[in-house]
Amino acid sequence: MVYSSPIPQLGLGTFGRTGDAGIAAILKALEIGYRHIDTAQSYDTEGPVGEAVRRSGLPRAEVFVTTKVADTNLDKSRFMPSVEKSLETLGFDHVDLLLIHWPSEKDAVPFEDYMLALKEAQERGFTRFIGVSNFPIAHLERTRALLGEGAIATNQVEIHPYLQAPKLRDYARDHGLVLTAYQPLVKGAVVSDPVLAEIAERHGVTPAAVALAFLMAEGHAVIPASSSEANLRANMRAKDVRLSEEEMNAIRALDRGDRRINPEKSPRWDD
Ligand SMILES: NC(=O)c1ccc[n+]([C@@H]2O[C@H](COP(=O)([O-])OP(=O)(O)OC[C@H]3O[C@@H](n4cnc5c(N)ncnc54)[C@H](OP(=O)(O)O)[C@@H]3O)[C@@H](O)[C@H]2O)c1
């Protein structure tokens, strides 16, 4: 799959990377070459992300930064102040991508309210691109009806070799929408997968790099998290891995609909 999106395809997740240790991990990733950093209002990592970008000395424009509006900030009175607070915490005048983290549970906040607020945040220059997270197809259809085709740059969802979300994947392909795969390494569990390990050995990389290379070959962006320099470097090597169709099919066969993140507030998933 040819990847054409302004979102750098291999990014860095920051969940759990708080405080000074978080700053150090994010800074190391920037030094290694990561140029896409994923944070959220609810992670407590917006501060560390801003600080790491400043300490890196990189021009702000060279680092693509995503943040997400928490589901507790979706209503009209809280939405825009929360975005302004995110920018203040990051120390930036805009982010590159602003996402709705979760749709409002049972439409407690009207869908139109927060989706139009998201669009307004873009029009006000608080973000270059807008997108969503944890949206199933029904919510993507509502988004398309409200904002038009192509209005959102991504849907960030759980995707990995054990949860390949084929219905959502096919819908996204049909609509030219990039999916950003969160928890792409199943929190590190992919390292002990025998199929990935065998392919990894053939390519001289780690099983984690094979999982990431697979997801990217499927057309997704990926945001693995790590605080380890060795793992950050190993994951970056995924960019150089070219999997054969036979290897792709072997990894496609690992899909077992194994969803790890499924809180009470989840919408009805497609798979
Ligand atoms: N939108 C959402 O609702 C949502 C939900 C969940 C996550 N996310 C985003 O997605 C990001 C990634 O998800 P995640 O952090 O939950 O899980 P993940 O990226 O699948 O896994 C991270 C874990 O894997 C380990 N790891 C990383 N590289 C490794 C390697 N090469 N070999 C072995 N272990 C490795 C890390 O440990 P070390 O530090 O020791 O390397 C870390 O504990 C998050 O940080 C967050 O930004 C978004």
Side-chain angles (χ1 to χ4, degrees), residues 73-136:
N73 288 330
L74 292 179
D75 75 78
K76 271 182 183 167
S77 64
R78 279 199 283 266
F79 193 105
M80 218 54 87
S82 83
V83 175
E84 287 170 320
K85 179 78 171 35
S86 285
L87 295 177
E88 190 189 317
T89 308
L90 282 156
F92 298 159
D93 62 3
H94 71 278
V95 287
D96 299 282
L97 178 60
L98 183 69
L99 307 181
I100 299 294
H101 203 151
W102 287 87
S104 178
E105 192 183 353
K106 299 191 179 79
D107 277 349
V109 179
F111 182 82
E112 289 72 18
D113 285 8
Y114 60 86
M115 292 307 292
L116 291 174
L118 181 68
K119 184 76 190 150
E120 187 189 334
Q122 184 181 32
E123 284 160 3
R124 288 175 64 176
F126 293 158
T127 182
R128 291 168 59 216
F129 302 100
I130 55 174
V132 296
S133 180
N134 297 302
F135 271 33

Side-chain angles (χ1 to χ4, degrees), residues 12-17 25 34 37-40 43 45 68 99-102 132-134 156-160 180-191 206-209 212 222-235 261:
L12 178 78
T14 65
F15 180 79
R17 272 70 193 168
Y34 287 79
I37 316 283
D38 181 79
T39 180
Y43 295 173
T45 59
K68 315 184 192 82
L99 307 181
I100 299 294
H101 203 151
W102 287 87
V132 296
S133 180
N134 297 302
Q156 184 183 122
V157 285
E158 181 179 347
I159 295 196
H160 43 69
T180 300
Y182 77 58
Q183 210 160 106
L185 303 177
V186 201
K187 287 273 183 196
V190 292
V191 300
T206 61
L212 297 172
V222 292
I223 47 168
S226 178
S227 300
S228 136
E229 178 172 354
N231 287 346
L232 286 167
R233 287 190 189 281
N235 295 346
I261 299 193

Side-chain angles (χ1 to χ4, degrees), residues 35-82:
R35 290 293 179 270
H36 163 193
I37 316 283
D38 181 79
T39 180
Q41 292 176 347
S42 62
Y43 295 173
D44 207 16
T45 59
E46 289 178 324
V49 168
E51 187 56 27
V53 171
R54 275 185 295 284
R55 285 193 202 172
S56 75
L58 288 163
R60 167 70 187 89
E62 280 188 26
V63 188
F64 190 100
V65 176
T66 303
T67 197
K68 315 184 192 82
V69 178
D71 52 303
T72 47
N73 288 330
L74 292 179
D75 75 78
K76 271 182 183 167
S77 64
R78 279 199 283 266
F79 193 105
M80 218 54 87
S82 83

